[in-house]
Amino acid sequence: MTNAVIFPIAIPLTTAVILMFCVKSLKAQKMISLVSAGVLIAAGAWLVRLVDHEGMQKLDVGNWPAPFGITLVSDMLTALLVLTTSMIAFACLLYSFFTIDSKQASMYYYVFFQFLIVGVNGAFTTGDIFNLFVFYEVMLMSSYALLVHGGTKIQLQETMKYMVINVFSSALFVIAVGYLYAVTGTLNMAHLAVRISQADNTAVLTVICLLFLIVFGLKGALFPFYVWMPGAYSAPPSAVLALFGGLLTKVGVYSILRTFTLIFRQDVGYTHTILAWLAIATVVFGVIGAVAYRDMRQIAIYNIVAAIGVMAFGISLMTEESMEGTIFYLLQDMVMKTALFFIIGAIAYVAGTNQLGRFSGLLGSYPLLSWTVFLSALALSGIPPFSGFIGKALIIRTAFEKGQLLFALVVLLSSLLVLYSVMKIFIQSCWGEARGYEQKRVAPLYVPIVALLSLAVLYGVGAEFVRPYIAQAAATLADPSIYIESVLKE
């Protein structure tokens, strides 16, 4: 048992409380937030090293042993997600410093930012399904505040829709948790896995499993529940959109990944087949939207939807190799989607619009910004040796091995369409006659953009270094007994 598990939650929580007393000093808020984000990265890196050297870490809060108390758990998957979240938070803070005006920032922007990180890291770390709901709510309440931050008409409209959808999904979440507790008598994830494996009433548990799939599908933008995303994600400032695009839906994916590999294994042939079909439908509708739109934000948002489908399909295959591919793809997508929204935000800043066709020729005045679009297209579509290739290759190979040829071909084709959709931004905004934009200072925005792109490139090129950590995380998902024994041992 170690207190290192709680640091990813305690650091942003403490920072948020401190920032409440520094509202009048924006400079102090920025400095404290940045230092906190740096410390959070160090804590995440330490946690990865700790899990690698000493195995899975857990903390029984209040010294109440599992399954009776609240348990926080960090296996390698959790540690990698926490570290990636910390790096994204640091980059989003840097981007916020240059894009969020002082009036907006002074209205508790950095406080809500920190509370959102509390919710995300808490959801990744908790070993209790009810506390997963609690951390979801912390994350969602912070996202409501950040989404409406600025007070424009479109933000108010989309926040109301976003709130209605999430209040509904949260109610379903509580109902699902209640049913699960009524059937199993426990809420600890490891204990749930044991109880469900011994249960006779598998039909009832399958219904509960599908209810959780609806809940996490709503949170994670799985087909047909993704319809809220294009509107809601089009409203906030670029810094907030990048934070949402990199983190929020990935918590939904993580929840499916954790529960469908650890808890709901009683009827894999049925439940995971449904997940596979929903995943492929998500990929199809995601790439259709990405190809159809000429709004840069919408193109990137629908690319999120397509990526969610690829990850969900990897989960549905239920092999160690597919889990490895899903984790590879999940981590790179968190980084690359954040970077893509940074880039689109910078382009919209100089062009004054997100609509392609109203400007062109950025390559002459903004060569670095233009080539970051090109690199993003390669990485997101999975062109080797960039970061998107390895995860997608492992998922597709597993699909071929399991005879799911049609699904594998859909995922392959989606890569080409993702490449086309982002290259469309590059060609129509960066090539041609220079028109429709102004000469503005964007140099400060290059720092977080280049940092995340460099991380994504290193993640692909240095896959041999990263893969042992990914393999360790995948092994725990493929063999639930590792997680169960670590959590429930005395």
Side-chain angles (χ1 to χ4, degrees), residues 38-105:
V39 173
L40 192 58
I41 291 174
W46 180 35
L47 193 57
V48 170
R49 185 182 182 280
L50 202 61
V51 173
D52 184 45
H53 285 73
E54 300 180 16
M56 190 182 301
Q57 304 294 306
K58 74 164 184 170
L59 175 65
D60 296 321
V61 179
N63 212 27
W64 285 84
F68 307 107
I70 297 171
T71 304
L72 301 177
V73 183
S74 281
D75 60 355
M76 186 55 76
L77 173 61
T78 295
L80 290 171
L81 288 170
V82 164
L83 178 58
T84 306
T85 298
S86 305
M87 291 187 286
I88 289 172
F90 190 90
C92 287
L93 277 173
L94 289 177
Y95 199 85
S96 298
F97 293 166
F98 302 111
T99 58
I100 302 295
D101 63 60
S102 56
K103 183 180 178 181
Q104 250 185 295

Side-chain angles (χ1 to χ4, degrees), residues 227-464:
V227 291
W228 59 267
M229 183 189 283
Y233 278 26
S234 65
S238 296
V240 176
L241 177 55
L243 189 67
F244 285 11
L247 298 181
L248 292 198
T249 51
K250 307 311 184 293
V251 178
V253 173
Y254 164 79
S255 301
I256 296 172
L257 180 58
R258 181 66 76 190
T259 56
F260 273 63
T261 57
L262 175 65
I263 300 172
F264 299 116
R265 300 173 68 100
Q266 79 285 350
D267 194 2
V268 171
Y270 182 72
T271 57
H272 289 58
T273 300
I274 291 175
L275 177 60
W277 279 101
L278 293 179
I280 293 302
T282 306
V283 172
V284 171
F285 281 90
V287 294
I288 289 173
V291 169
Y293 274 95
R294 293 178 60 81
D295 182 294
M296 294 187 294
R297 280 194 170 199
Q298 293 297 328
I299 291 169
I301 289 166
Y302 276 98
N303 269 304
I304 293 177
V305 176
I308 296 296
V310 173
M311 289 179 264
F313 178 58
I315 297 168
S316 72
L317 294 171
M318 285 294 284
T319 69
E320 187 168 341
E321 185 176 66
S322 73
M323 295 305 160
E324 194 174 336
T326 301
I327 297 167
F328 256 115
Y329 197 74
L330 171 60
L331 296 175
Q332 78 86 28
D333 196 68
M334 291 171 72
V335 174
M336 281 309 307
K337 286 301 188 300
T338 306
L340 181 61
F341 283 117
F342 284 170
I343 294 164
I344 289 172
I347 293 173
Y349 172 65
V350 299
T353 180
N354 284 293
Q355 290 294 329
L356 295 174
R358 296 183 182 179
F359 62 97
S360 61
L362 290 177
L363 190 59
S365 300
Y366 301 97
L368 180 57
L369 182 60
S370 300
W371 287 116
T372 59
V373 182
F374 180 75
L375 290 175
S376 297
L378 299 182
L380 287 167
S381 59
I383 302 297
F386 293 95
S387 55
F389 169 73
I390 302 156
K392 200 171 280 189
L394 290 171
I395 292 170
I396 290 170
R397 186 168 73 180
T398 304
F400 277 124
E401 288 174 354
K402 297 193 75 171
Q404 299 193 17
L405 304 183
L406 177 62
F407 288 176
L409 290 173
V410 169
V411 174
L412 272 173
L413 179 61
S414 74
S415 298
L416 295 177
L417 294 176
V418 166
L419 177 63
Y420 168 77
S421 69
V422 185
M423 286 300 290
K424 180 170 62 175
I425 299 175
F426 176 64
I427 292 169
Q428 296 189 22
S429 66
C430 302
W431 287 12
E433 177 190 355
R435 63 178 180 86
Y437 65 87
E438 301 175 12
Q439 296 290 338
K440 293 182 179 179
R441 183 171 177 265
V442 295
L445 303 181
Y446 289 146
V447 177
I449 291 172
V450 172
L452 288 184
L453 283 177
S454 300
L455 181 63
V457 170
L458 289 173
Y459 184 56
V461 175
E464 188 175 352

